[in-house]
Amino acid sequence: MNEMELVSVAEAMVAEGKGILAIDESAGTIAKRFKAINIESTEENRRAYREMLLTTAHLGKHISGAILYDETIRQSTRNGVSFVQVMQDAGIIPGIKVDMGAHPFAGHPGEKITEGLDGLRQRLEEYRALGARFAKWRAVITIGENIPTTSCVDANAHALARYAALCQEADIVPIVEPEVLMDGAHSLDESFEVTEATLRALFNQLYEQNVLLEGTILKASMVISGSEATHRASVQEVAEATVQCLLNSVPAALGGVVFLSGGQTDEEATAHLNAMNLLADFPWALTFSYGRALQAPSLKVWGENPAANVAAAQKKLAHRARMNGLAAMGQYEESFEAA
Ligand code: 5MM
């Protein structure tokens, strides 16, 4: 394990004013996104869409790294330049999703366990040779009646730590993502309680399994009201609760914190990140690793006419990257959206 390299890659991933572009949708998820815009999910359409995103001019100004999917890391532009090369030329660190998805957790109705540890050591070796310098593994925690159970939280935390240790052995920075889903009618307080318990379980396991925290990035969900809650917490309440939850449960030694957007609108996700960064100085950088909240406007425009709208779609992505880059420094203002 090259500790110096792990720490320097982790630092670069959360460099000031930059965050991560999550474009690691698995085959099923990208098909769902494409269906919503009436685009068929063929390999060529997926390649063309990801080429549009990755070749956006000056993307590296606000994007430090991008998380790819197994298919995408092997793809190239129409002109034959590999996506990894495009990213390296733009100063964007290539990352890779290595989990094999969240599956029903046996004996625990309504809960999920993420799979993908079998053969992971060999897959990481291959991804490193292909150019990946960081990886991602997502666990899914659902809030509902009598869930999450401690066994679900602990089993996912254990798997996340096993994955993280294997990544570091291969000189790949692990992003650990224990997503507490926004789906449901739960309150901000319930979200706080579950997120705190999940993070505590995760960091216990990372400690138990000798994971170098300085060479690890946490991808956290914000502490937020459920999407069907009757009372939705304000931007300020979400920011304060999220920061308090992290301060309660995340060691200062960690390499950095990036957030997922989890179904928030793009502007909501930016406003929340900005409000957090206005609160105080933290032991870690707080930035973004959004999927939907970075891609949504761009995907919509591209889907209207993939052949003709490349430049217009890239403009949308560049705008959201800039807005979130500013939010990562607490310098975002709603009025910038119109500019
Ligand atoms: C881009 O979506 C990622 C992959 O999801 P699947 O494995 O379900 O296809 C997802 O892990 C994503 O990286 C995070 O959830 C963050 O994305 P959002 O849209 O929540 O910001």
Side-chain angles (χ1 to χ4, degrees):
M1 172 163 87
N2 183 339
E3 294 193 6
M4 270 172 62
E5 186 188 335
L6 290 171
V7 173
S8 87
V9 170
E11 281 172 0
M13 289 164 68
V14 295
E16 195 178 19
K18 292 190 185 188
I20 292 168
L21 171 64
I23 53 168
D24 57 315
E25 297 87 357
S26 54
T29 304
I30 195 73
K32 208 160 70 183
R33 305 271 184 266
F34 277 8
K35 195 170 177 213
I37 55 163
N38 292 318
I39 297 281
E40 201 190 338
S41 184
T42 61
E43 185 176 349
E44 174 50 23
N45 284 343
R46 294 190 293 269
R47 192 207 61 74
Y49 175 63
R50 267 82 180 235
E51 173 173 350
M52 180 279 291
L53 296 173
L54 292 171
T55 55
T56 298
H58 313 297
L59 192 60
K61 199 167 166 203
H62 303 291
I63 299 295
S64 57
I67 316 170
L68 308 176
Y69 182 55
D70 182 75
E71 175 184 88
T72 323
I73 199 171
R74 304 168 196 281
Q75 287 176 325
S76 302
T77 65
R78 210 162 36 127
N79 299 331
V81 184
S82 75
F83 285 167
V84 168
Q85 188 63 54
V86 168
M87 293 168 71
Q88 286 165 345
D89 292 347
I92 298 170
I93 309 167
I96 180 78
K97 179 236 288 300
V98 301
D99 66 66
M100 306 290 270
H103 298 271
F105 185 33
H108 295 76
E111 296 196 286
K112 297 214 161 138
I113 180 77
T114 301
E115 296 180 0
L117 288 168
D118 290 351
L120 182 56
R121 180 175 270 130
Q122 292 71 29
R123 289 197 290 128
L124 287 167
E125 208 177 299
E126 189 199 1
Y127 287 139
R128 164 107 195 164
L130 285 169
R133 291 296 174 266
F134 70 93
K136 195 200 83 175
W137 178 289
R138 171 171 169 259
V140 175
I141 304 296
T142 311
I143 302 182
E145 213 182 320
N146 300 322
I147 58 172
T149 58
T150 310
S151 37
C152 176
V153 169
D154 288 348
N156 274 295
H158 191 266
L160 274 161
R162 283 192 63 199
Y163 138 83
L166 282 162
C167 283
Q168 293 189 336
E169 182 189 88
D171 296 328
I172 288 179
V173 171
I175 295 185
V176 287
E177 181 184 11
E179 175 173 3
V180 176
L181 292 181
M182 204 170 128
D183 308 355
H186 52 270
S187 65
L188 186 77
D189 288 352
E190 286 169 290
S191 171
F192 188 107
E193 199 185 313
V194 170
T195 306
E196 186 180 27
T198 302
L199 291 175
R200 283 181 189 274
L202 171 63
F203 283 97
N204 279 341
Q205 279 301 322
L206 293 174
Y207 171 73
E208 289 290 339
Q209 296 188 44
N210 295 332
V211 173
L212 177 76
L213 293 183
E214 293 85 344
T216 302
I217 300 291
L218 169 69
K219 179 157 172 166
S221 37
M222 295 180 199
V223 173
I224 194 165
S225 321
S227 46
E228 287 133 45
T230 37
H231 168 76
R232 312 280 338 270
S234 67
V235 169
Q236 194 60 22
E237 286 170 328
V238 167
E240 285 172 15
T242 304
V243 161
Q244 190 57 54
C245 187
L246 293 176
L247 288 169
N248 289 1
S249 46
V250 177
L254 186 76
V257 179
V258 298
F259 289 99
L260 58 96
S261 56
Q264 301 175 46
T265 67
D266 41 6
E267 291 185 22
E268 224 174 23
T270 307
H272 284 143
L273 179 63
N274 190 63
M276 283 189 258
N277 277 298
L278 283 175
L279 283 176
D281 282 334
F282 310 105
W284 351 260
L286 296 185
T287 186
F288 59 93
S289 172
Y290 296 154
R292 284 163 288 180
L294 274 171
Q295 295 178 59
S298 184
L299 176 67
K300 184 169 176 288
V301 170
W302 180 80
E304 284 160 8
N305 189 339
N309 286 2
V310 168
Q314 290 180 327
K315 212 169 151 192
K316 295 283 183 193
L317 175 64
H319 176 71
R320 286 262 52 85
R322 181 165 165 267
M323 294 299 100
N324 286 301
L326 289 170
M329 298 185 289
Q331 294 172 9
Y332 166 78
E333 286 174 31
E334 213 182 306
S335 61
F336 299 163
E337 295 290 355

